[in-house]
Amino acid sequence: MVNIIWVFLTVIGIIFAMVNGTMDQVNEAIFNGAAEAVTLCIGLISVLVFWLGMMRIAEEAGLLQKLSLLFRPIVKRLFPEVPNDHPAMGYILSNMMANMFGLGNAATPLGIKAMEELKRLNGGLDIASRSMITFLAINTSSITLIPTMVIAIRMKYESASPTEIVGPTLIASFCSAIGAIIIDRYFHYRRTRKG
Protein backbone atom coordinates (compact mmCIF):
# COMPACT_ATOMS: atom_id res chain seq x y z
CA MET A 1 0.00 0.00 0.00
CA VAL A 2 2.83 2.40 0.83
CA ASN A 3 4.39 1.73 -2.58
CA ILE A 4 1.14 2.73 -4.27
CA ILE A 5 1.00 5.95 -2.25
CA TRP A 6 4.61 6.85 -3.20
CA VAL A 7 4.00 6.14 -6.89
CA PHE A 8 0.79 8.19 -6.76
CA LEU A 9 2.58 11.15 -5.12
CA THR A 10 5.46 10.96 -7.61
CA VAL A 11 3.15 10.87 -10.63
CA ILE A 12 1.10 13.81 -9.30
CA GLY A 13 4.30 15.79 -8.66
CA ILE A 14 5.62 15.16 -12.17
CA ILE A 15 2.28 16.05 -13.79
CA PHE A 16 2.09 19.23 -11.68
CA ALA A 17 5.65 20.17 -12.72
CA MET A 18 4.81 19.56 -16.40
CA VAL A 19 1.68 21.73 -16.18
CA ASN A 20 3.54 24.56 -14.41
CA GLY A 21 6.63 24.30 -16.64
CA THR A 22 9.01 23.51 -13.76
CA MET A 23 10.35 20.15 -14.98
CA ASP A 24 13.90 21.55 -15.02
CA GLN A 25 13.67 22.21 -11.27
CA VAL A 26 12.33 18.68 -10.71
CA ASN A 27 15.24 17.18 -12.68
CA GLU A 28 17.73 19.30 -10.73
CA ALA A 29 16.17 18.24 -7.41
CA ILE A 30 16.29 14.56 -8.44
CA PHE A 31 19.98 14.67 -9.35
CA ASN A 32 20.96 16.79 -6.33
CA GLY A 33 18.99 14.52 -4.01
CA ALA A 34 20.61 11.40 -5.47
CA ALA A 35 24.11 12.87 -5.10
CA GLU A 36 23.43 13.98 -1.53
CA ALA A 37 21.98 10.56 -0.64
CA VAL A 38 25.13 8.79 -1.85
CA THR A 39 27.36 11.22 0.08
CA LEU A 40 25.27 10.79 3.23
CA CYS A 41 25.30 6.99 2.93
CA ILE A 42 29.09 6.90 2.59
CA GLY A 43 29.41 9.11 5.67
CA LEU A 44 27.00 6.92 7.65
CA ILE A 45 28.77 3.73 6.59
CA SER A 46 31.93 4.87 8.35
CA VAL A 47 30.05 5.52 11.59
CA LEU A 48 28.16 2.24 11.30
CA VAL A 49 31.37 0.30 10.66
CA PHE A 50 33.00 1.96 13.68
CA TRP A 51 30.15 1.07 16.03
CA LEU A 52 29.82 -2.44 14.61
CA GLY A 53 33.53 -2.84 15.31
CA MET A 54 33.01 -1.56 18.86
CA MET A 55 30.14 -4.03 19.28
CA ARG A 56 32.41 -6.83 18.04
CA ILE A 57 35.11 -5.81 20.53
CA ALA A 58 32.50 -5.68 23.30
CA GLU A 59 31.29 -9.13 22.25
CA GLU A 60 34.82 -10.58 22.22
CA ALA A 61 35.57 -9.00 25.61
CA GLY A 62 32.42 -10.54 27.06
CA LEU A 63 30.75 -7.19 27.73
CA LEU A 64 27.68 -8.03 25.63
CA GLN A 65 27.32 -11.34 27.44
CA LYS A 66 27.45 -9.53 30.80
CA LEU A 67 24.90 -6.97 29.62
CA SER A 68 22.72 -9.81 28.36
CA LEU A 69 22.95 -11.51 31.77
CA LEU A 70 22.01 -8.20 33.40
CA PHE A 71 18.94 -7.78 31.18
CA ARG A 72 17.97 -11.47 31.02
CA PRO A 73 15.65 -11.34 34.09
CA ILE A 74 13.77 -8.37 32.61
CA VAL A 75 13.57 -9.95 29.16
CA LYS A 76 12.45 -13.28 30.68
CA ARG A 77 9.51 -11.49 32.33
CA LEU A 78 8.60 -9.87 29.03
CA PHE A 79 8.84 -13.18 27.14
CA PRO A 80 7.69 -15.88 29.59
CA GLU A 81 6.93 -18.38 26.78
CA VAL A 82 10.54 -18.36 25.50
CA PRO A 83 12.80 -20.90 27.26
CA ASN A 84 16.07 -19.52 28.67
CA ASP A 85 18.26 -21.68 26.45
CA HIS A 86 16.27 -21.09 23.24
CA PRO A 87 18.14 -19.26 20.42
CA ALA A 88 15.31 -16.70 20.24
CA MET A 89 16.30 -15.36 23.66
CA GLY A 90 19.87 -14.71 22.48
CA TYR A 91 18.69 -12.94 19.33
CA ILE A 92 16.19 -10.85 21.31
CA LEU A 93 18.89 -9.76 23.76
CA SER A 94 21.39 -9.01 20.97
CA ASN A 95 18.78 -6.99 19.09
CA MET A 96 17.98 -4.99 22.21
CA MET A 97 21.69 -4.27 22.83
CA ALA A 98 22.19 -3.09 19.24
CA ASN A 99 19.12 -0.84 19.50
CA MET A 100 20.36 0.60 22.79
CA PHE A 101 23.50 1.78 21.02
CA GLY A 102 21.48 3.30 18.19
CA LEU A 103 22.56 0.75 15.60
CA GLY A 104 19.16 0.32 13.96
CA ASN A 105 20.63 -1.10 10.74
CA ALA A 106 22.77 -3.58 12.65
CA ALA A 107 19.83 -4.55 14.85
CA THR A 108 17.60 -5.42 11.90
CA PRO A 109 19.20 -8.80 10.99
CA LEU A 110 19.15 -9.78 14.67
CA GLY A 111 15.47 -8.83 14.86
CA ILE A 112 14.66 -10.89 11.79
CA LYS A 113 16.49 -13.91 13.25
CA ALA A 114 14.64 -13.43 16.54
CA MET A 115 11.30 -13.39 14.71
CA GLU A 116 12.25 -16.53 12.77
CA GLU A 117 13.10 -18.32 16.01
CA LEU A 118 9.89 -17.08 17.67
CA LYS A 119 7.91 -18.35 14.69
CA ARG A 120 9.65 -21.72 14.99
CA LEU A 121 8.79 -21.72 18.70
CA ASN A 122 5.18 -20.96 17.71
CA GLY A 123 5.03 -24.13 15.62
CA GLY A 124 5.62 -22.35 12.32
CA LEU A 125 2.13 -20.82 12.35
CA ASP A 126 1.48 -17.69 10.30
CA ILE A 127 -0.35 -16.13 13.26
CA ALA A 128 1.78 -13.93 15.53
CA SER A 129 2.34 -15.32 19.02
CA ARG A 130 2.28 -13.24 22.18
CA SER A 131 6.10 -13.15 22.19
CA MET A 132 6.22 -12.01 18.56
CA ILE A 133 3.83 -9.14 19.26
CA THR A 134 5.75 -8.13 22.38
CA PHE A 135 9.06 -8.26 20.53
CA LEU A 136 7.71 -6.12 17.70
CA ALA A 137 6.40 -3.52 20.17
CA ILE A 138 9.69 -3.39 22.10
CA ASN A 139 11.85 -3.40 18.95
CA THR A 140 9.86 -0.54 17.46
CA SER A 141 10.08 1.60 20.58
CA SER A 142 13.41 0.45 22.01
CA ILE A 143 15.39 2.43 24.55
CA THR A 144 18.32 4.20 22.91
CA LEU A 145 21.30 5.15 25.06
CA ILE A 146 23.40 6.56 22.21
CA PRO A 147 21.58 7.63 19.02
CA THR A 148 24.63 6.86 16.88
CA MET A 149 23.10 7.32 13.44
CA VAL A 150 21.35 10.58 14.34
CA ILE A 151 24.58 11.98 15.81
CA ALA A 152 26.37 10.99 12.59
CA ILE A 153 23.78 12.79 10.46
CA ARG A 154 24.00 15.88 12.69
CA MET A 155 27.81 15.82 12.37
CA LYS A 156 27.55 15.44 8.59
CA TYR A 157 25.43 18.59 8.40
CA GLU A 158 27.81 20.44 10.75
CA SER A 159 25.54 20.80 13.76
CA ALA A 160 26.98 23.10 16.44
CA SER A 161 26.39 20.43 19.08
CA PRO A 162 25.61 17.05 17.50
CA THR A 163 25.48 15.16 20.81
CA GLU A 164 23.00 17.44 22.58
CA ILE A 165 20.20 15.05 21.57
CA VAL A 166 21.49 12.19 23.75
CA GLY A 167 19.50 13.22 26.87
CA PRO A 168 16.19 13.95 25.12
CA THR A 169 16.55 10.77 23.04
CA LEU A 170 17.10 8.68 26.17
CA ILE A 171 14.04 10.18 27.88
CA ALA A 172 11.81 9.92 24.78
CA SER A 173 12.87 6.36 23.96
CA PHE A 174 12.44 5.27 27.61
CA CYS A 175 8.90 6.71 27.65
CA SER A 176 8.05 5.09 24.32
CA ALA A 177 9.38 1.69 25.47
CA ILE A 178 7.39 1.83 28.73
CA GLY A 179 4.31 2.92 26.78
CA ALA A 180 4.72 0.06 24.30
CA ILE A 181 5.06 -2.50 27.10
CA ILE A 182 1.99 -1.14 28.93
CA ILE A 183 -0.12 -1.16 25.76
CA ASP A 184 1.13 -4.65 24.83
CA ARG A 185 0.26 -6.01 28.28
CA TYR A 186 -3.11 -4.26 28.34
CA PHE A 187 -4.24 -5.81 25.05
CA HIS A 188 -2.80 -9.21 25.99
CA TYR A 189 -4.71 -9.33 29.28
CA ARG A 190 -7.84 -7.96 27.64
CA ARG A 191 -7.67 -10.68 24.97
CA THR A 192 -7.02 -13.47 27.51
CA ARG A 193 -9.93 -12.31 29.71
CA LYS A 194 -12.30 -12.48 26.74
CA GLY A 195 -11.02 -15.93 25.73
Side-chain angles (χ1 to χ4, degrees):
M1 183 67 184
V2 173
N3 291 339
I4 294 170
I5 292 170
W6 279 112
V7 168
F8 182 70
L9 289 173
T10 303
V11 169
I12 286 178
I14 290 172
I15 291 171
F16 186 78
M18 289 168 51
V19 169
N20 285 333
T22 56
M23 271 309 281
D24 56 332
Q25 293 174 354
V26 171
N27 287 334
E28 185 181 335
I30 288 170
F31 290 117
N32 287 343
E36 190 169 329
V38 169
T39 305
L40 181 62
C41 286
I42 290 170
L44 291 179
I45 286 171
S46 62
V47 173
L48 188 60
V49 167
F50 170 76
W51 280 106
L52 285 174
M54 294 299 284
M55 288 284 283
R56 184 73 176 170
I57 291 168
E59 181 183 8
E60 293 292 326
L63 182 61
L64 287 183
Q65 186 177 7
K66 288 176 183 167
L67 281 172
S68 294
L69 288 173
L70 178 69
F71 286 102
R72 189 174 290 273
I74 297 167
V75 173
K76 184 61 188 156
R77 291 190 59 126
L78 292 171
F79 301 95
E81 306 86 21
V82 180
N84 278 333
D85 57 346
H86 197 276
M89 189 62 77
Y91 286 122
I92 289 168
L93 285 162
S94 297
N95 174 270
M96 290 174 79
M97 293 301 112
N99 277 326
M100 280 188 176
F101 291 106
L103 301 171
N105 294 339
T108 301
L110 298 168
I112 292 169
K113 291 298 281 181
M115 278 296 193
E116 287 173 356
E117 292 297 331
L118 290 172
K119 183 175 182 177
R120 192 169 295 131
L121 194 62
N122 193 30
L125 298 174
D126 288 332
I127 298 169
S129 67
R130 174 186 176 192
S131 295
M132 293 169 87
I133 295 168
T134 302
F135 178 67
L136 182 63
I138 290 171
N139 188 44
T140 305
S141 64
S142 63
I143 296 172
T144 305
L145 300 175
I146 305 168
T148 308
M149 299 308 278
V150 178
I151 291 172
I153 291 170
R154 289 172 59 91
M155 288 172 70
K156 165 76 177 117
Y157 289 104
E158 300 175 4
S159 170
S161 180
T163 58
E164 71 184 355
I165 59 161
V166 171
T169 300
L170 180 60
I171 293 167
S173 63
F174 181 78
C175 291
S176 71
I178 296 298
I181 292 167
I182 290 170
I183 291 169
D184 173 64
R185 289 299 179 238
Y186 168 75
F187 281 106
H188 169 70
Y189 290 124
R190 190 173 126 185
R191 188 174 63 243
T192 53
R193 265 192 315 188
K194 285 183 179 178

